[in-house]
Amino acid sequence: MTEPLQWARYHWQRLIGRTNTDDDERPYSYSSLLACGGKSSQTLKLAGKHRVVVPHLQLFKEEYEKFSGTYVNNRIRTTKYTLLNFVPRNLFEQFHRVANLYFLFLVVLNWVPLVEAFQKEITMLPLVVVLTIIAIKDGLEDYRKYKIDKQINNLVTKVYSRKEKKYVDRCWKDVTVGDFIHLSCNEVIPADMVLLFSTDPDGICHIETSGLDGESNLKQKQVVRRYAEQDSEVDPEKFSSRIECESPNNDLNRFRGFLEHSNKERVGLSKENLLLRGCTIRNTEAVMGIVVYAGHETKAMLNNSGPRYKRSKLERRANTDVLWCVLLLVIMCLTGALGHGIWLSRYENIPFFNIPEPDGHIISPVLAGFCMFWTMIILLQVLIPISLYVSIEIVKLGQIYFIQSDVDFYNEKMGSTVQCRALNITEDLGQIQYLFSDKTGTLTENKMVFRRCSVAGFDYCHEENAKRLESYQEAASEDEDSADTPSGSLSNMAKPRAPSCRTVHNRPLGSISSNHLTGSCFALESREGASEVPHSRQAAFSSPIETDVVPDTRLLDKFSQITPLLFTPTDEPTPDPPLETLYIIDFFIALAICNTVVVSAPNQPRQKVGLSSLRGIPIKSLDEIKNLFQRLSVRRSSSPSLASGKEPSGVPNAFVSRLSLFNRMKPASPVEEEISQTSESLQGSDNSACPTEIEKQNSDAGIANGKVEALAGQPLTSSLCYEAESPDEAALVYAARAYQCTLQSRTPEQVVVDFAALGPLTFQLLHILPFDSVRKRMSVVVRHPLSNQVVVYTKGADSTIMELLSVASPDGPGLEKQQMMIREKTQKHLEDYAKRGLRTLCIAKRVMSDTEYAEWLRNHFLAETSIDNREELLLESAMRLENKLTLLGATGIEDRLQEGVPEAIEALHKAGIKIWMLTGDKQETAVNIAYACKLLEPNDKLFILNTESKNACEMLMDTILKELQKNPASPEQASLSASLHQPPPTLQGSGLRAALIITGKTLEFALQESLQKQFLELTACCQAVVCCRATPLQKSEVVKLVRSHLRVMTLAIGDGANDVSMIQVADIGIGISGQEGMQAVMASDFAVSQFRHLSKLLLVHGHWCYTRLSNMILYFFHKNVAYVNLLFWYQFFCGFSGTSMTDYWVLIFFNLLFTSAPPVIYGVLEKDVSAETLMQLPELYRSGQRSETWIHMLVIVGSILSYFFFALVFGAMCVTCNPPSNPYWIMQEHMADPVFYLVCVLTTCVALLPRFLYRVLQGSLFPSPILRAKHLDRLPAEERIEALKKWRGPGQMDQLMSKYADHSAVESEKIPIYDPSAVFAAMSATACAVEKGNLAICETALDSDFSETKASGMAGPSKD
Amino acid sequence: MAMNYNAKDEVDGGPPCPPGGTAKTRRPDNTAFKQQRLPAWQPILTAGTVLPTFFIIGLIFIPIGIGIFVTSNNIREIEIDYTGTDPSSPCYKCLSPNVTPCICTINFTLDQSFEGNVFMYYGLSNFYQNHRRYVKSRDDGQLNGDPSALLNPSKECEPYRRNEDKPIAPCGAIANSMFNDTLELFQVGNASDLMPITLKKKGIAWWTDKNVKFRNPPGTDPLEERFKGTTKPVNWVKPVYMLDSDEDNNGFINEDFIVWMRTAALPTFRKLYRLIERKNDLHPTLPAGRYYLNITYIILNTLHVLFISSIVNHLHTVDKNTGTWSL
C-alpha cells in the first residue's frame, strides 16, 4: 500500500532535487529532519545534512523508526505510469505536442454550428487514433519496464532476521535501510551497503562493476577499519554502531561518512567501504554488510537516467515545413473565405442552394466568408499531417531495429553490437559535417604495450620487443590474405565474400598461420580439443600482445650485475655499488608495485579451484608453437616501424577478435563450466596464465634472445593474472615481469615482488595515494625490505613529475650533477618517445625518514577522516608527500591504433566530413597518431598554434590565414567569411591540404569571444585539426563553438569520462564501449565498440536513414498536399462552400489508413544504393534519392486495395448512413464502368509525366553521383570493380590498390613523422610577430625508418 | 530499442547467467531481411530506358484511342436551350414569376436519325447542387422509409424540416428544389400531325437506389395513408405520394425524384430524364425529321439564373446503353 506513496514521494523529491542541483544537499533531507523531530541539536544538524543508519533490529527499533521513516525501501519502480494515472498522465504528456493541440482545436472548432464542416465526431477520429497509438506504445514500454522491475524486485537475497536469528531469503524489494545482508561469491548486491565482513583474511572483497559502469576489471573493497581485524563474522545482534553518511547522491566515486561505535569512537567511511547495488561479488567467498541506501536512493539508480530525447535536425526542418503548411493552409482558407463571400454576393436573390438559417434569414456574405474560413480549416486539415509524427517515430524505431541488427557491428570479443540510446536522431547520422574524436581508446585500442624505457638516463629501445610486435602484425596481415577477418566489415566489403569465421575454425589445426594467430592459449586449446577457456571479458584484457614483453639485451646485461650483496651493508671493499644498478632495481620495483593491480593466482588461498585440468601437457605443444612463431617472426621482421603504421593497422585487432572467436566456438565442457561459475576472475587468470607460461618457457628455450639464457633455470613462477584499473598499469607490471621482477601478490598490507636476483621481497605497504586527474600521478609508500627505509614510489605524467624533482640532492653535489644529467637525458628520451607516439610516464622515488613519514601520516589521517573538504585536504596531503623526488627513469608505452581506423578516417574524409582530434595527450604523441591514422597526410601543410598569449595567438592566426588565402589553389577561402558553413571540397586538385595543430593553452585564447571567428575561419581552411592537451571542458567548448557558429551537424566520439561533456554537446554523441568504462556510453546517443564501425554507421546507415526519412517526410507532405489541392481545387466548383467531393470517412482514412503504411515502409526499408557501394564511394554521403523494395511495392498495392476494399464494403453496407455523402453503391457503380479505370490510369500518367520528364533529362544529361552509383550496383562484380576504379580517378587508384595489394607494395611510401619541409611551425609569440618566412621551424625531423631508430637507439647510450 | 535502465544489465550480469560459452549470444541474425539485403528495385530514369518504355506505352494507347474516337463519333447529340433568356425564345414568357405553370413549345429538326436507345437529359447550369449545406440537407433515413424519420426528420433538413408543425416529406433543401419541368416529345409527321413519342420514366435511376436506398414508408395501405401526418415540401405543387400514378414509381421511389436526389458534383450538370427505347432493329428510334417539344416550365423558387439548356440524345450504334452521364 505504501509503495505508490513512496514512489510518488521519490519522484517529487527528484523533481525538487533537480531544481536546485547546485545545492548538494537535497531539500527533502530537511523535510525528513522535520519528520523525525530531532533529538539533540548536533544530531539534528547532522541528520539534516547526512543520513543516519542504524540496524534494522529490535534493539534499535525506536531510533530506527525515527531515522529511517523517510528512507525509501529497496523496491524500485522505473515505470512512468500506474494503471490509474495512465490515461490522464499520458494525455497530459501528449498534449505537450503542438500538433496534438492543433488537432484538438480543430475538433473543438467543429462543434461550432456555423463552422461545422464534418460530422462532429468524425474530426475527433484522427486525433483519437494518434493518441491511442502513442498511448499504446508508451504503455507497452512502460509495461516492459514494469516487468523488469518486478523481476528485479523479486530477486532473492539473504537478510538477517532477528526472529529466526539467522539469515533468511528475502526478496530485494523487502530489503530496507539498516538490514544486514549476507552475500556469497557471484551474487549481485541488492542495495548500497557498507562492507562489514569479508571471508578474506585481509578484509577485502572484490566486486565487478560491469553492471554499473561497464568496467570489467575487479575493484577492491575494504571492510570498515575496525571490523577488518575481526576473524569471525560480525554478529548483527551485537552490532551497536551508528552510521552517518551523506545523503543519497549519484556520484559513484564518492562516499563519505563515518561509523560511530557505541563508545563514540568514529571510523571514517569511504567509497572503499561501500558495495554498490548492481555489482557482483567476485573472488570472495562471502561478505556481510549493512544497507545504507536502498531502492531509488542507491547510486546505481540515481545514475540511471532513461534514454535521451534529442530533436533531430530533420525533425526540426519538418517542423518548419509544418509551419509552411500552416501558412499554405491559411492562404487556402483565406482564398476560400474570400471566394465564398464574392460568390455569395453575386446572387442578388437567395438561390435555392443557399440555405437560410433555421430562423429564415440569410447570413451576409461577409459573415458567411468569415465562417467559411474556419470551415475550410477543418476541411483542409489533412494538409497538416497529424500522422507524420507518429509515422516518423515508427520509422525511426524500424531504422534503429535495422541498425542494431547489423551483423557488421557485432563485436565478437565483447559480444556487443551497436547500441542506439537516442531513439530519434538516426537520420542525423547522414548529415554529419564535423567529427570530433577523442584519441585514446577511440582511435587507438587503449591496449597498452610496453615499448621502451629509459633508466638512469639510458635509453633501452627493446628492439626484440618491437620485432615481436611487428611479427604479430605481420602474421595477422599475412593471414588476412587467405582468410577474411571475421569482424572486418571493411575487408568483407572490399573482397568477394568468401571464408567466414567458421572456415577459420575448421582449418587444419596445424596450419601455421592459424597457429600464429591463436598464439598461445588458443592454439593449445584447439589441439586439445576438449578443454576450453571460458569466454569472458578478461580474455580481451590480457592478450599476449600486451603481456608478452621481450626484454632488452643491454638491460638484461645490467641485470646480471644485480646481486643480493648490493644491499648488505658490509664494510668490505666492494666497488661502490654502481648507482645505475640501484636505479634499475628501484625502477623495476616501482614498475611492479606502484599501482593498484589486483593479482589473481591459483596458489592464493581464496582461489582454491584447481587449474590442473587446464595445464600440463599443453604447455609443451604451446612452447613449440611459440618457438616456431618466434623464429618466423625474427626472420620476417624487416620493417618493423610500428609507430608509423602505414600498413593497414587493423591487423592486431583482427588477431584479437579471432582469439575470442576461438573461444566462442569451443564446445563447453561441464567441468570448465563449473570453474567459470565459481570464480570469474579465475577465467582471467586462466587466459592470462598461458602467456606467463609461454614467457617462461620462452626464456627457458632462449630462442628469441640469446641473453635470456642467462636467466634460464629460474624456478617456474606460478602463473599470475593482473587486473589493473588502467591498461597502462598492467603493461608496466608485465614489463617488470619480463625482467624477472614479478609482482607476486598484493594485499592491503603488503606487496610481494619476486625479484630474480634478490629473491622474493616483501614490501610493507604503508600507503597508496591513488591516481587522479588533477595530480596526474600516483604514489605508493612502502617500507623497503632491504634497506628498511620508507620509500615513496611515484609514477606520473612527465610534466608533473619533472616539477617535483628535488633540486638539491642530499648526497652531495656530485650526485646532484649526476641527477641533473639523468634528468636532461630522460627529458630528451621523453621527447623522443612522445614523437614516436608513445605514452610516457616518469618514475621517481623518494626516501623518507621514519619521523618525516610519521608526521605526514598524522596530517594525512586528519584529512582522510574529515567529511567536508576532504578532496582538497587529501590533495594537499599528497602534495606534501610527493615532492623532492629523485627521477629514476621513464617508460614509453604504445597505444596501438584500432583496427580499420585509417580506412575509416579516409572514408569519412572523402565523405566530406571534417575530422578534429581532441586529445589530452601531448602534441607530439597526438600528431603522430594523427599521421598514423591518416588524419594527416604526408604532404599536408601543418600549422602549429602554440602561443603563450592571446595577442600572439591572434597574430599567428592572422599570418596563417594570410598564408592560406594567398594560395591560389584554394579560391573558396576568399568567400569563406561569407559562407562559413560551406565546407570546402575535400579533395583539392593540387593536393594542397592544410592541417592545424593547436595546444590546450592556445585553444583557450582561441575560444575567447574576440578570436572565435578568426579561429573558425582558420579551421575552415584546414582539412584536419588536432587539439592536444585539451581538457574535457575545452573539448566540449570546441564542439559547442563549431556547432553554434558554423551551424553544422557535429558528431563527437569518445570512450572515456573525459569525453562525456563533448559527447553531450554534439548533435550526435557516440560512445565507444571500450576499456574505460561506461560513462561515455551512458552519455551517448549511439554506442559502438570500435571506431571503424563509425564509417558504416555514417556512410551506410546514416545515408540510408537520412534519405529514407527525408524522402519519407517529402512523401508524406506530397501526398497530403496533393490531396488537399484536390479538395481546394474543388472549391472553385462548389462556390467555395467547403464541400468535399469524397466521403468524409475516406477523407479521414486517407491519412490514417490508405496512405500511412507505404511511407512508413519506405522509411524503414528503402535502399537507394547498396551498402557495398556506399562504403566504397564515401562521396555519396552528400546526397540522396529514392527507390523501392518489393515490400514497399507490396504495401502500396495493399494500400490501394485497402481503399477499394473499404470503399466497396462501406458502399455495400451503408444504405442510409453517413449523410450527406451517403456512399451507398457508388464505388460499385464506378467500378462497373470502364471509363473509371481509364481515368485512373491516364490521370496518374499525366500527373507524373512532367516529373518523369525532368528525371529523364537529369538522368541522361547530368546524372547525379547517386544515380551513377545505382548504375554501378547493377553491374556484375568484376565490372563493378573496374567501374569503381574509373570512378575514383587515376589519383586515387593506388589507394584502392593498396587495399588489395600486398603490403610490400606500399612499403615504398614511407610515412614521414614530421617532414620539416611541410611543417610551418611557430612555437613562440616572438616568432609569429615576424614575417612568415622568418618563422622558426621548431620541429626537427624525426627518423621515420626503423633502422634509423634502431641506430639512434643503439648509439644513444654509447655516446653518453 | 535500446531503452534505458541498467537494471536489465543487473539481471543479465547476475549469477543465473553463466559467463561461459553457453551465454546467449547477442550476435544479430545474418538474414537478408535483417541485414537489409532484400532485393531492391528502383527505376533509373534515363533517356535510354525511358524512351522505349514510352513508345511501347504509346503503342498500347493508340488502339485504345482509336476505339474511343470511333465510339464518340458515333454519338449523336442535340442540345436544346429552353431557358428563354432570349426574347425570341418561346419560353421567354415563362421567366416572369407570375406565369406558373407556364407551357411553351419548341420545334427542332433532326438531320440524322437516332438509332438505338435514346436518352433524354435535362441540364442545369450554375445550379450549385454541390453546395456544402445544400448537399447535407436531406434525411436518408426518411427516404429509406424509416417511419420514425418520416415523422421526425433529421436536423440536417433545417430549415426545410417542418412546415406548419408538420414534418416535411421528403425534407430538406434538395428535395425542396426538385426539378419538375415536364417535357413531352412529339414527332411531326408527314402531314404535320403530332405523334407522341413514348418516354420511359422507369429505368433512369440506379437499381440500388430504386430498390434499396429509397423506400416508401412500410405498410400495405395506399401511399397517401402511409404518408399521413406529413406535409409536402414548400415549393412543391403536389405531395410526394402524387408524383406518379404508377404505384411502383411513386412516393420516395419515384425515379425522377431519385435522380434529382443524387446531387451533381459540379454546378453545371445534366441528369437523365427519360428513355426512348428502340422498338425494333428496322426502324430508327428517332428518325430524322421535325419534332415538337412541349415544356411545362416551372421556375424553381426565385432562382435567378435558371439556365435550363439541353436535351441530349445519345445514339449508340451497338446496344451499349448505360447512363454514364448521370452522376
Side-chain angles (χ1 to χ4, degrees), chain A residues 352 405 412 420 1108 1130 1139 1274, chain B residues 2 35-36 42 130 265 300:
Chain A
F352 266 124
S405 47
E412 304 273 350
C420 304
R1108 282 169 183 174
Y1130 187 62
T1139 316
R1274 300 214 168 155
Chain B
Q35 299 309 317
Q36 306 196 59
Q42 63 242 354
N130 56 13
L300 304 172

Side-chain angles (χ1 to χ4, degrees), chain B residues 2 44 59 88 103 111 135 155 162 183 195 207 221 231 240 247 276 291 310:
Chain B
I44 299 181
L59 285 177
S88 64
I103 297 174
D111 300 329
V135 167
K155 281 202 182 91
R162 303 183 84 87
L183 304 166
M195 289 180 292
W207 186 90
D221 300 334
T231 182
V240 67
E247 178 77 10
I276 307 168
Y291 288 85
S310 59

Side-chain angles (χ1 to χ4, degrees), chain B:
Chain B
M1 281 188 291
M3 289 310 292
N4 40 46
Y5 187 40
N6 44 25
K8 198 167 179 276
D9 305 332
E10 239 174 64
V11 177
D12 282 350
C17 167
T22 52
K24 212 173 74 187
T25 168
R26 276 196 262 175
R27 186 191 180 94
D29 300 336
N30 193 359
T31 56
F33 178 70
K34 280 198 169 184
Q35 299 309 317
Q36 306 196 59
R37 277 187 265 108
L38 287 178
W41 174 83
Q42 63 242 354
I44 299 181
L45 302 176
T46 57
T49 53
V50 167
L51 286 180
T53 327
F54 206 72
F55 281 119
I56 291 169
I57 293 173
L59 285 177
I60 294 170
F61 269 89
I62 285 174
I64 296 176
I66 291 171
I68 293 171
F69 183 72
V70 169
T71 316
S72 81
N73 270 356
N74 285 333
I75 291 173
R76 310 244 188 282
E77 192 175 280
I78 178 168
E79 184 181 327
I80 298 160
D81 182 350
Y82 68 92
T83 319
T85 38
D86 184 26
S88 64
S89 161
C91 293
Y92 183 67
K93 59 181 179 182
C94 297
L95 285 182
S96 149
N98 306 331
V99 197
T100 46
C102 160
I103 297 174
C104 57
T105 309
I106 288 175
N107 294 311
F108 65 95
T109 310
L110 290 183
D111 300 329
Q112 287 174 305
S113 62
F114 284 22
E115 292 174 37
N117 290 326
V118 175
F119 303 87
M120 276 175 79
Y121 297 89
Y122 59 88
L124 301 174
S125 272
N126 269 349
F127 191 100
Y128 285 83
Q129 241 197 341
N130 56 13
H131 189 284
R132 178 172 55 90
R133 307 230 309 278
Y134 180 85
V135 167
K136 281 202 299 190
S137 188
R138 64 192 282 169
D139 183 349
D140 282 309
Q142 192 189 44
L143 298 176
N144 194 235
D146 181 351
S148 64
L150 182 71
L151 296 174
N152 186 18
S154 150
K155 281 202 182 91
E156 301 285 354
C157 286
E158 292 285 5
Y160 304 109
R161 185 165 167 239
R162 303 183 84 87
N163 190 17
E164 292 158 357
D165 273 355
K166 275 186 174 174
I168 295 175
C171 76
I174 310 178
N176 192 41
S177 60
M178 185 178 157
F179 173 87
N180 56 359
D181 292 359
T182 313
L183 304 166
E184 290 165 304
L185 193 61
F186 299 93
Q187 190 182 8
V188 181
N190 292 335
S192 295
D193 52 337
L194 297 179
M195 289 180 292
I197 292 171
T198 325
L199 302 178
K200 204 174 152 229
K201 287 177 174 182
K202 294 208 277 186
I204 54 174
W206 294 6
W207 186 90
T208 49
D209 280 3
K210 168 107 181 169
N211 294 291
V212 184
K213 194 171 168 182
F214 288 80
R215 277 190 199 140
N216 283 323
T220 47
D221 300 334
L223 265 185
E224 192 174 346
E225 278 301 305
R226 290 193 247 162
F227 278 102
K228 203 175 174 188
T230 63
T231 182
K232 68 175 177 64
V234 188
N235 287 352
W236 286 22
V237 183
K238 44 193 177 181
V240 67
Y241 47 86
M242 288 170 69
L243 283 176
D244 197 9
S245 52
D246 184 358
E247 178 77 10
D248 209 23
N249 193 25
N250 201 3
F252 291 150
I253 55 170
N254 178 277
E255 292 199 21
D256 283 336
F257 175 66
I258 292 173
V259 167
W260 180 255
M261 290 306 283
R262 188 158 285 286
T263 51
L266 297 171
T268 299
F269 58 91
R270 43 177 131 177
K271 286 176 184 285
L272 191 57
Y273 181 62
R274 291 290 182 265
L275 293 173
I276 307 168
E277 279 187 322
R278 189 168 58 156
K279 291 183 190 80
N280 55 54
D281 289 345
L282 298 173
H283 298 285
T285 322
L286 291 180
R290 284 174 55 227
Y291 288 85
Y292 180 86
L293 185 66
N294 205 7
I295 303 161
T296 312
Y297 192 4
I298 299 164
I299 297 182
L300 304 172
N301 206 347
T302 51
L303 185 67
H304 174 62
V305 184
L306 176 68
F307 176 72
I308 300 173
S309 62
S310 59
I311 294 175
V312 182
N313 291 325
H314 276 215
L315 180 131
H316 293 253
T317 42
V318 210
D319 40 0
K320 274 186 195 166
N321 50 355
T322 41
T324 52
W325 282 108
S326 70
L327 184 79

Side-chain angles (χ1 to χ4, degrees), chain A residues 237-255:
Chain A
E237 294 289 331
K238 291 182 189 141
F239 184 89
S240 56
S241 316
R242 294 148 41 95
I243 292 172
E244 287 199 27
C245 53
E246 53 189 357
S247 297
N249 60 60
N250 62 357
D251 191 346
L252 286 175
N253 291 317
R254 196 182 71 175
F255 175 68

Side-chain angles (χ1 to χ4, degrees), chain A residues 90-108 123-124 126-132 134-135 138 322 381 384-390 393:
Chain A
N90 191 265
L91 281 181
F92 176 73
E93 291 202 349
Q94 291 202 38
F95 279 115
H96 273 107
R97 252 194 191 155
V98 183
N100 287 346
L101 277 181
Y102 167 77
F103 281 96
L104 186 68
F105 164 72
L106 285 184
V107 170
V108 172
T123 342
M124 286 162 66
L127 188 65
V128 169
V129 168
V130 165
L131 293 183
T132 316
I134 293 187
D138 288 352
V322 167
Q381 61 170 317
I384 315 289
I386 186 171
S387 48
L388 177 67
Y389 292 98
V390 187
E393 253 173 61

Side-chain angles (χ1 to χ4, degrees), chain A residues 947-964:
Chain A
T947 57
E948 296 293 327
S949 78
K950 193 180 157 190
N951 285 340
C953 174
E954 190 176 356
M955 284 161 87
L956 187 55
M957 284 204 283
D958 226 34
T959 327
I960 296 173
L961 255 181
K962 267 186 207 143
E963 162 76 7
L964 275 173

